[in-house]
Amino acid sequence: MKEAFDIDELRAFVVMADEGYFSETAGTLGISQPAVSQRISRLENSLGFHLFIRTAQGVVLTPCGQSVLQNARRCVASHGQLLRQMDHHRHSSGGRVRAWIEPSLAHESLIQVLSGSPELDVLTERRKADWADQLRSLELDMVICGSFLQQTVIAGLERTELLREPGLTAVWSEEHYQISPESFCLADFLSSGLALPSACWIKGVRTFFDDWCIRVYQKCAGDVAEVNSCQEAVRVCLAGPRIAILPGNLSSNAHVLRHSSLVSKGLFREVLPN
């Protein structure tokens, strides 16, 4: 080895191995293509062997590149973990806590209450990575999110129940369905199109909902759009003829039901669990 290399060069190598193209690697790293090429070249010069074979279709790992890739991944991952730990201790040494709120729950009243604490940094943006992993890596200190039925215990994480609510809420727009809450029956709309915020927020609600419909109505919902939040489910209702099925009761969903054309009805209070 001719000289030491830095972590940015090693990270460029790992990303390039995953992406296979200079343009995609540059986009992932947020740098220019020439900068990517320079980092790879410096790393190859330091190691004394080539990591990639350049082709018209992109790049391919050399045998030497393949042999060191796994260790390079571990180094990059360990460096990232070290930075997160250092940031966590720097953050917590000042007595501050980073709390992420799942966007479906992040309505104004809750944000106002939590933001009143000078020790709490409140985050509400959609997270690309799994929040459990971000807690383990110390990127987050606390998460406020929804669950359904008996949420699986996640090893190494402490869970506290803040609020328990029964049932579901059905929501629709008068512009698409001229029907009163008193005469609404879900069985009549199982084939019409539903929106269920279950993809990444309330794990397990889709499975329970399907099972319950089969048990009670002897049929399954035919067209269900799984979305990422209650807000998104409501937007789907406003855009077209769909019924949103929101976990929780009417009061808990009040912050997403402010549009003048929306109508809502609490469902299954006697049947669905909390």
Side-chain angles (χ1 to χ4, degrees):
M1 187 179 296
K2 297 180 180 180
E3 59 184 49
F5 53 84
D6 63 39
I7 193 67
D8 288 335
E9 295 169 4
L10 203 61
R11 185 178 294 107
F13 163 54
V14 171
V15 175
M16 177 73 82
D18 291 336
E19 300 290 355
Y21 296 92
F22 281 90
S23 57
E24 281 78 355
T25 301
T28 299
L29 295 175
I31 59 178
S32 65
Q33 291 188 46
V36 173
S37 181
Q38 289 171 6
R39 290 184 184 182
I40 297 296
S41 295
R42 286 199 302 266
L43 181 58
E44 290 178 330
N45 289 334
S46 298
L47 296 174
F49 55 81
H50 290 295
L51 297 167
F52 297 102
I53 299 172
R54 279 72 168 172
T55 71
Q57 289 73 38
V59 297
V60 179
L61 282 166
T62 64
C64 291
Q66 292 175 346
S67 69
V68 301
L69 178 59
Q70 186 174 356
N71 282 329
R73 287 191 191 281
R74 283 198 290 265
C75 288
V76 171
S78 295
H79 180 264
Q81 175 68 5
L82 176 61
L83 289 180
R84 287 190 292 271
Q85 280 187 312
M86 294 169 66
D87 182 60
H88 167 75
H89 292 305
R90 182 168 55 250
H91 193 84
S92 59
S93 64
R96 304 193 64 78
V97 174
R98 284 172 292 194
W100 176 69
I101 308 176
E102 207 293 323
S104 286
L105 302 176
H107 45 87
E108 289 86 345
S109 57
L110 179 59
I111 296 297
Q112 184 175 5
V113 170
L114 294 178
S115 298
S117 171
E119 296 83 17
L120 200 63
D121 291 336
V122 180
L123 310 172
T124 60
E125 76 279 5
R126 180 69 59 193
R127 312 297 286 188
K128 293 182 179 180
D130 185 87
W131 55 259
D133 291 336
Q134 293 180 328
L135 283 171
R136 291 194 190 94
S137 67
L138 304 179
E139 186 175 343
L140 296 172
D141 301 308
M142 181 172 66
V143 165
I144 300 175
C145 64
S147 64
F148 190 80
L149 293 174
Q150 298 299 317
Q151 184 180 25
T152 302
V153 175
I154 302 176
L157 299 183
E158 183 73 21
R159 178 176 179 267
T160 299
E161 187 177 273
L162 300 177
L163 177 67
R164 178 175 293 191
E165 297 177 336
L168 300 177
T169 299
V171 180
W172 63 95
S173 172
E174 288 182 315
E175 296 177 3
H176 305 294
Y177 295 107
Q178 288 73 46
I179 185 170
S180 67
E182 293 74 21
S183 59
F184 177 84
C185 178
L186 180 61
D188 299 332
F189 295 91
L190 287 180
S191 301
S192 301
L194 305 175
L196 191 66
S198 61
C200 70
W201 179 37
I202 306 291
K203 296 179 180 178
V205 66
R206 173 65 192 275
T207 300
F208 182 91
F209 183 76
D210 286 344
D211 291 345
W212 193 87
C213 288
I214 292 174
R215 187 167 63 251
V216 175
Y217 300 125
Q218 288 75 53
K219 61 180 178 179
C220 204
D223 180 15
V224 179
E226 291 196 67
V227 296
N228 291 328
S229 69
C230 289
Q231 290 93 328
E232 187 175 345
V234 167
R235 287 195 293 270
V236 169
C237 287
L238 292 170
R242 283 189 181 270
I243 307 292
I245 306 298
L246 310 184
N249 57 38
L250 288 170
S251 60
S252 68
N253 288 305
H255 65 289
V256 296
L257 303 178
R258 295 173 177 171
H259 194 278
S260 59
S261 73
L262 288 176
V263 183
S264 58
K265 178 181 181 179
L267 298 177
F268 313 141
R269 292 177 181 271
E270 299 81 14
V271 180
L272 276 185
N274 296 327

Coordinates of all heavy atoms in Angstrom, one line a residue, residues 49-113:
F49 N -3.7 -1.6 -6.7 CA -4.3 -2.5 -7.7 C -5.7 -1.9 -8.1 O -6.2 -1.0 -7.4 CB -4.5 -3.9 -7.1 CG -5.3 -4.0 -5.8 CD1 -6.7 -3.9 -5.8 CD2 -4.6 -4.1 -4.6 CE1 -7.4 -3.9 -4.6 CE2 -5.3 -4.2 -3.4 CZ -6.7 -4.1 -3.4
H50 N -6.2 -2.3 -9.2 CA -7.4 -1.8 -9.7 C -8.6 -2.5 -9.0 O -8.6 -3.7 -8.8 CB -7.5 -2.0 -11.2 CG -6.6 -1.2 -12.0 ND1 -6.7 0.2 -12.1 CD2 -5.5 -1.5 -12.8 CE1 -5.7 0.7 -12.9 NE2 -5.0 -0.4 -13.3
L51 N -9.6 -1.7 -8.8 CA -10.9 -2.1 -8.1 C -12.0 -2.4 -9.2 O -12.8 -3.3 -8.9 CB -11.4 -1.1 -7.1 CG -10.5 -0.8 -6.0 CD1 -10.9 0.4 -5.2 CD2 -10.4 -2.0 -5.0
F52 N -11.9 -1.7 -10.3 CA -13.0 -1.8 -11.3 C -12.4 -2.0 -12.7 O -11.3 -1.5 -13.0 CB -13.9 -0.6 -11.3 CG -14.7 -0.4 -10.0 CD1 -14.3 0.5 -9.1 CD2 -15.8 -1.2 -9.7 CE1 -14.9 0.7 -7.9 CE2 -16.5 -1.0 -8.5 CZ -16.1 0.0 -7.6
I53 N -13.2 -2.6 -13.5 CA -12.9 -2.6 -15.0 C -13.9 -1.7 -15.6 O -15.1 -1.9 -15.4 CB -13.0 -4.0 -15.6 CG1 -12.0 -4.9 -14.9 CG2 -12.8 -4.0 -17.1 CD1 -12.1 -6.4 -15.3
R54 N -13.5 -0.7 -16.3 CA -14.4 0.3 -17.0 C -14.9 -0.3 -18.3 O -14.1 -0.8 -19.1 CB -13.7 1.6 -17.2 CG -13.6 2.6 -16.0 CD -12.7 2.1 -15.0 NE -12.4 3.2 -14.0 CZ -11.7 3.0 -12.9 NH1 -11.2 1.8 -12.6 NH2 -11.5 4.0 -12.1
T55 N -16.2 -0.3 -18.5 CA -16.8 -0.8 -19.7 C -17.8 0.2 -20.3 O -18.1 1.2 -19.6 CB -17.5 -2.2 -19.5 OG1 -18.7 -1.9 -18.8 CG2 -16.7 -3.2 -18.8
A56 N -18.3 0.0 -21.5 CA -19.3 0.9 -22.1 C -20.6 0.8 -21.3 O -21.3 1.8 -21.3 CB -19.5 0.5 -23.5
Q57 N -20.8 -0.3 -20.6 CA -22.1 -0.4 -19.8 C -22.0 0.0 -18.4 O -22.9 0.0 -17.6 CB -22.5 -1.9 -19.9 CG -23.0 -2.4 -21.2 CD -21.9 -2.6 -22.2 OE1 -20.8 -3.0 -21.9 NE2 -22.2 -2.2 -23.5
G58 N -20.8 0.4 -18.0 CA -20.6 0.8 -16.6 C -19.2 0.3 -16.1 O -18.2 0.3 -16.8
V59 N -19.2 -0.1 -14.8 CA -18.0 -0.7 -14.2 C -18.3 -2.1 -13.7 O -19.4 -2.4 -13.2 CB -17.4 0.2 -13.1 CG1 -17.0 1.6 -13.7 CG2 -18.4 0.4 -12.0
V60 N -17.3 -2.9 -13.6 CA -17.4 -4.3 -13.1 C -16.2 -4.4 -12.1 O -15.1 -4.0 -12.4 CB -17.3 -5.3 -14.2 CG1 -17.4 -6.7 -13.6 CG2 -18.4 -5.1 -15.2
L61 N -16.5 -5.0 -11.0 CA -15.5 -5.3 -10.0 C -14.4 -6.2 -10.5 O -14.7 -7.2 -11.2 CB -16.1 -5.9 -8.7 CG -16.8 -4.9 -7.8 CD1 -17.6 -5.7 -6.8 CD2 -15.8 -4.0 -7.1
T62 N -13.1 -5.9 -10.2 CA -12.1 -6.9 -10.5 C -12.1 -7.9 -9.4 O -12.7 -7.8 -8.4 CB -10.7 -6.1 -10.5 OG1 -10.5 -5.6 -9.2 CG2 -10.7 -5.0 -11.5
P63 N -11.4 -9.0 -9.6 CA -11.2 -10.0 -8.6 C -10.7 -9.4 -7.3 O -11.2 -9.8 -6.2 CB -10.3 -11.1 -9.1 CG -10.5 -11.0 -10.6 CD -10.7 -9.5 -10.9
C64 N -9.7 -8.5 -7.4 CA -9.2 -7.9 -6.2 C -10.3 -7.0 -5.5 O -10.4 -6.9 -4.3 CB -8.0 -7.0 -6.5 SG -6.5 -8.0 -7.0
G65 N -11.1 -6.3 -6.4 CA -12.2 -5.5 -5.8 C -13.2 -6.3 -5.1 O -13.7 -5.9 -4.0
Q66 N -13.5 -7.5 -5.7 CA -14.5 -8.4 -5.0 C -14.0 -8.9 -3.7 O -14.7 -9.0 -2.7 CB -14.8 -9.5 -5.9 CG -15.6 -9.2 -7.2 CD -15.8 -10.3 -8.1 OE1 -15.1 -11.4 -8.0 NE2 -16.6 -10.2 -9.1
S67 N -12.7 -9.1 -3.6 CA -12.1 -9.7 -2.4 C -12.1 -8.7 -1.2 O -12.2 -9.1 -0.1 CB -10.7 -10.2 -2.7 OG -9.8 -9.1 -2.9
V68 N -12.0 -7.4 -1.5 CA -12.0 -6.4 -0.4 C -13.3 -5.7 -0.1 O -13.4 -5.0 0.8 CB -10.9 -5.4 -0.7 CG1 -9.5 -6.0 -0.9 CG2 -11.3 -4.5 -1.9
L69 N -14.3 -6.0 -1.0 CA -15.6 -5.3 -0.9 C -16.2 -5.5 0.5 O -16.7 -4.5 1.1 CB -16.5 -5.7 -2.0 CG -17.9 -5.0 -2.0 CD1 -17.8 -3.5 -2.0 CD2 -18.8 -5.5 -3.1
Q70 N -16.3 -6.7 1.0 CA -17.0 -7.0 2.2 C -16.4 -6.2 3.4 O -17.1 -5.6 4.2 CB -17.0 -8.5 2.5 CG -17.9 -8.9 3.7 CD -18.0 -10.4 3.9 OE1 -17.5 -11.1 3.1 NE2 -18.6 -10.8 5.0
N71 N -15.1 -6.2 3.5 CA -14.4 -5.5 4.5 C -14.6 -4.0 4.4 O -14.7 -3.3 5.4 CB -12.9 -5.8 4.5 CG -12.6 -7.2 5.2 OD1 -13.3 -7.6 6.1 ND2 -11.6 -7.9 4.7
A72 N -14.6 -3.5 3.1 CA -14.8 -2.1 2.9 C -16.2 -1.7 3.4 O -16.4 -0.6 4.0 CB -14.7 -1.8 1.4
R73 N -17.2 -2.6 3.1 CA -18.6 -2.3 3.6 C -18.6 -2.2 5.1 O -19.2 -1.3 5.7 CB -19.5 -3.4 3.2 CG -19.9 -3.4 1.7 CD -21.0 -4.4 1.5 NE -21.2 -4.7 0.1 CZ -21.9 -3.9 -0.7 NH1 -22.4 -2.7 -0.3 NH2 -22.0 -4.2 -2.0
R74 N -17.9 -3.1 5.8 CA -17.9 -3.0 7.3 C -17.2 -1.8 7.8 O -17.7 -1.2 8.8 CB -17.2 -4.3 7.8 CG -18.0 -5.5 7.8 CD -17.4 -6.6 8.7 NE -16.2 -7.1 8.2 CZ -16.1 -8.2 7.5 NH1 -17.2 -8.9 7.2 NH2 -14.9 -8.7 7.0
C75 N -16.1 -1.4 7.1 CA -15.5 -0.1 7.5 C -16.4 1.1 7.4 O -16.4 1.9 8.2 CB -14.2 0.1 6.7 SG -12.9 -1.1 7.1
V76 N -17.1 1.2 6.2 CA -17.9 2.3 6.0 C -19.1 2.3 7.0 O -19.5 3.4 7.5 CB -18.5 2.3 4.5 CG1 -19.5 3.3 4.3 CG2 -17.3 2.5 3.5
A77 N -19.7 1.1 7.2 CA -20.8 1.0 8.2 C -20.3 1.4 9.6 O -21.0 2.1 10.3 CB -21.4 -0.4 8.1
S78 N -19.1 0.9 10.0 CA -18.6 1.2 11.3 C -18.3 2.7 11.5 O -18.6 3.3 12.5 CB -17.3 0.4 11.6 OG -17.6 -1.0 11.6
H79 N -17.8 3.3 10.4 CA -17.5 4.7 10.4 C -18.8 5.5 10.6 O -18.9 6.5 11.4 CB -16.8 5.2 9.2 CG -16.5 6.6 9.1 ND1 -17.3 7.5 8.5 CD2 -15.4 7.3 9.6 CE1 -16.8 8.7 8.6 NE2 -15.6 8.6 9.3
G80 N -19.9 5.1 9.9 CA -21.2 5.8 10.0 C -21.7 5.6 11.4 O -22.3 6.6 12.0
Q81 N -21.6 4.4 12.0 CA -22.1 4.2 13.3 C -21.3 5.0 14.3 O -21.9 5.6 15.3 CB -22.0 2.7 13.7 CG -22.3 2.3 15.1 CD -23.8 2.5 15.4 OE1 -24.6 2.8 14.5 NE2 -24.2 2.4 16.7
L82 N -20.0 5.1 14.2 CA -19.2 6.0 15.0 C -19.6 7.4 15.0 O -19.7 8.1 16.0 CB -17.7 5.8 14.7 CG -16.7 6.7 15.4 CD1 -16.8 6.4 16.9 CD2 -15.3 6.5 14.9
L83 N -19.8 7.9 13.8 CA -20.3 9.3 13.7 C -21.6 9.5 14.4 O -21.8 10.6 15.0 CB -20.4 9.7 12.2 CG -19.1 9.8 11.4 CD1 -19.4 10.2 10.0 CD2 -18.2 10.9 12.1
R84 N -22.6 8.6 14.2 CA -23.9 8.7 14.9 C -23.7 8.6 16.4 O -24.4 9.4 17.1 CB -24.8 7.6 14.4 CG -25.3 7.8 12.9 CD -26.4 6.8 12.6 NE -25.9 5.5 12.5 CZ -25.4 4.9 11.4 NH1 -25.3 5.6 10.3 NH2 -25.0 3.7 11.4
Q85 N -22.8 7.8 16.9 CA -22.6 7.7 18.3 C -22.0 9.0 18.8 O -22.5 9.6 19.9 CB -21.7 6.6 18.7 CG -22.4 5.2 18.7 CD -21.4 4.2 19.2 OE1 -20.3 4.1 18.8 NE2 -21.8 3.4 20.2
M86 N -21.1 9.6 18.1 CA -20.5 10.8 18.5 C -21.5 11.9 18.5 O -21.5 12.8 19.4 CB -19.3 11.1 17.6 CG -18.1 10.1 17.8 SD -16.8 10.3 16.5 CE -16.2 12.0 16.9
D87 N -22.3 12.0 17.5 CA -23.3 13.0 17.4 C -24.4 12.8 18.5 O -24.8 13.8 19.1 CB -24.0 12.9 16.0 CG -25.1 14.0 15.8 OD1 -24.7 15.2 15.9 OD2 -26.3 13.6 15.6
H88 N -24.7 11.6 18.8 CA -25.7 11.3 19.9 C -25.1 11.8 21.2 O -25.8 12.5 22.0 CB -25.9 9.8 19.9 CG -26.7 9.4 21.2 ND1 -28.0 9.6 21.4 CD2 -26.2 8.8 22.3 CE1 -28.4 9.1 22.6 NE2 -27.3 8.6 23.2
H89 N -23.9 11.5 21.5 CA -23.3 11.9 22.8 C -23.1 13.4 22.9 O -23.3 14.0 23.9 CB -22.0 11.2 23.0 CG -22.1 9.7 23.3 ND1 -22.9 9.2 24.3 CD2 -21.6 8.7 22.6 CE1 -22.8 7.9 24.2 NE2 -22.0 7.6 23.3
R90 N -22.8 14.0 21.7 CA -22.7 15.5 21.7 C -24.0 16.1 21.9 O -24.2 17.1 22.6 CB -22.1 15.9 20.3 CG -21.9 17.4 20.2 CD -21.1 17.8 18.9 NE -21.6 17.2 17.7 CZ -21.0 16.2 17.1 NH1 -19.9 15.7 17.5 NH2 -21.6 15.7 16.0
H91 N -25.1 15.5 21.3 CA -26.4 16.0 21.4 C -26.9 15.8 22.9 O -27.5 16.7 23.5 CB -27.3 15.3 20.4 CG -28.7 15.9 20.2 ND1 -28.9 16.9 19.3 CD2 -29.9 15.6 20.8 CE1 -30.2 17.2 19.3 NE2 -30.8 16.4 20.2
S92 N -26.8 14.6 23.4 CA -27.3 14.3 24.7 C -26.6 14.9 25.8 O -27.1 15.2 26.9 CB -27.4 12.8 24.9 OG -26.1 12.2 24.8
S93 N -25.3 15.2 25.6 CA -24.5 15.9 26.7 C -25.1 17.3 27.0 O -24.9 17.8 28.0 CB -23.0 16.0 26.3 OG -22.9 16.8 25.1
G94 N -25.8 17.8 26.0 CA -26.5 19.1 26.2 C -27.8 19.0 26.8 O -28.6 19.9 26.9
G95 N -28.2 17.7 27.1 CA -29.5 17.5 27.7 C -30.7 17.5 26.8 O -31.8 17.7 27.1
R96 N -30.4 17.2 25.5 CA -31.5 17.2 24.5 C -31.8 15.8 24.0 O -31.0 14.9 24.0 CB -31.0 18.1 23.3 CG -30.7 19.5 23.7 CD -30.5 20.4 22.5 NE -31.8 20.5 21.8 CZ -32.8 21.3 22.2 NH1 -32.6 22.0 23.3 NH2 -33.9 21.4 21.5
V97 N -33.1 15.6 23.6 CA -33.6 14.4 23.1 C -34.2 14.6 21.7 O -35.0 15.5 21.5 CB -34.7 13.8 24.1 CG1 -35.4 12.6 23.5 CG2 -34.1 13.5 25.5
R98 N -33.9 13.7 20.8 CA -34.4 13.8 19.5 C -35.6 12.8 19.4 O -35.5 11.6 19.5 CB -33.4 13.4 18.4 CG -32.4 14.5 18.2 CD -31.3 14.1 17.3 NE -30.4 13.1 18.0 CZ -29.2 12.8 17.6 NH1 -28.7 13.3 16.5 NH2 -28.5 11.9 18.2
A99 N -36.8 13.3 19.2 CA -38.0 12.5 19.1 C -38.6 12.6 17.7 O -38.9 13.8 17.2 CB -39.0 13.0 20.1
W100 N -38.8 11.5 17.1 CA -39.5 11.5 15.8 C -41.0 11.1 15.9 O -41.3 10.1 16.6 CB -38.8 10.5 14.8 CG -39.5 10.4 13.5 CD1 -39.6 11.3 12.5 CD2 -40.3 9.2 13.0 NE1 -40.3 10.8 11.4 CE2 -40.8 9.6 11.7 CE3 -40.6 8.0 13.5 CZ2 -41.5 8.7 11.0 CZ3 -41.4 7.1 12.8 CH2 -41.8 7.5 11.5
I101 N -41.9 11.8 15.3 CA -43.3 11.5 15.4 C -43.8 11.1 14.0 O -43.5 11.8 13.0 CB -44.1 12.8 15.8 CG1 -43.6 13.3 17.1 CG2 -45.6 12.4 15.9 CD1 -44.3 14.6 17.5
E102 N -44.4 9.9 13.9 CA -44.9 9.4 12.6 C -45.8 10.5 12.1 O -46.7 11.0 12.8 CB -45.7 8.1 12.8 CG -45.7 7.2 11.6 CD -46.5 7.8 10.5 OE1 -47.6 8.4 10.7 OE2 -46.2 7.5 9.3
P103 N -45.7 10.9 10.8 CA -46.4 12.1 10.2 C -47.9 12.0 10.4 O -48.6 13.0 10.5 CB -46.0 12.1 8.8 CG -44.6 11.5 8.8 CD -44.6 10.4 9.8
S104 N -48.5 10.8 10.4 CA -49.9 10.7 10.6 C -50.4 11.2 12.0 O -51.5 11.6 12.2 CB -50.4 9.2 10.5 OG -50.4 8.8 9.1
L105 N -49.5 11.1 13.0 CA -49.8 11.6 14.3 C -49.4 13.0 14.6 O -49.7 13.6 15.6 CB -49.1 10.7 15.3 CG -49.4 9.2 15.3 CD1 -48.6 8.4 16.3 CD2 -50.9 8.9 15.5
A106 N -48.7 13.6 13.6 CA -48.0 14.9 13.9 C -49.0 16.1 13.6 O -48.7 16.9 12.8 CB -46.8 15.0 13.1
H107 N -50.1 16.1 14.3 CA -51.0 17.3 14.1 C -50.6 18.4 15.1 O -49.8 18.2 16.0 CB -52.5 16.9 14.3 CG -52.7 16.0 15.5 ND1 -53.0 16.5 16.8 CD2 -52.8 14.7 15.6 CE1 -53.2 15.6 17.6 NE2 -53.0 14.4 17.0
E108 N -51.2 19.6 14.8 CA -50.7 20.8 15.4 C -50.7 20.7 17.0 O -49.7 21.2 17.6 CB -51.5 22.0 14.9 CG -51.3 22.4 13.5 CD -52.2 21.6 12.6 OE1 -52.8 20.5 13.0 OE2 -52.3 21.9 11.4
S109 N -51.7 20.2 17.6 CA -51.8 20.2 19.0 C -50.7 19.4 19.7 O -50.1 19.8 20.6 CB -53.2 19.7 19.5 OG -53.4 18.4 19.0
L110 N -50.4 18.2 19.1 CA -49.3 17.4 19.6 C -48.0 18.1 19.4 O -47.2 18.1 20.4 CB -49.4 16.0 19.0 CG -48.3 15.1 19.4 CD1 -48.4 14.8 20.9 CD2 -48.4 13.7 18.7
I111 N -47.8 18.6 18.2 CA -46.5 19.3 18.0 C -46.3 20.5 18.9 O -45.2 20.7 19.5 CB -46.4 19.8 16.5 CG1 -46.5 18.6 15.6 CG2 -45.2 20.7 16.3 CD1 -45.3 17.7 15.7
Q112 N -47.4 21.2 19.2 CA -47.3 22.4 20.1 C -47.0 22.0 21.5 O -46.1 22.6 22.1 CB -48.7 23.1 20.0 CG -48.7 24.4 20.9 CD -50.0 25.2 20.7 OE1 -50.9 24.7 20.1 NE2 -50.0 26.3 21.3
V113 N -47.6 20.9 21.9 CA -47.3 20.4 23.3 C -45.8 20.0 23.4 O -45.1 20.4 24.3 CB -48.2 19.3 23.7 CG1 -47.7 18.6 25.0 CG2 -49.6 19.8 23.9

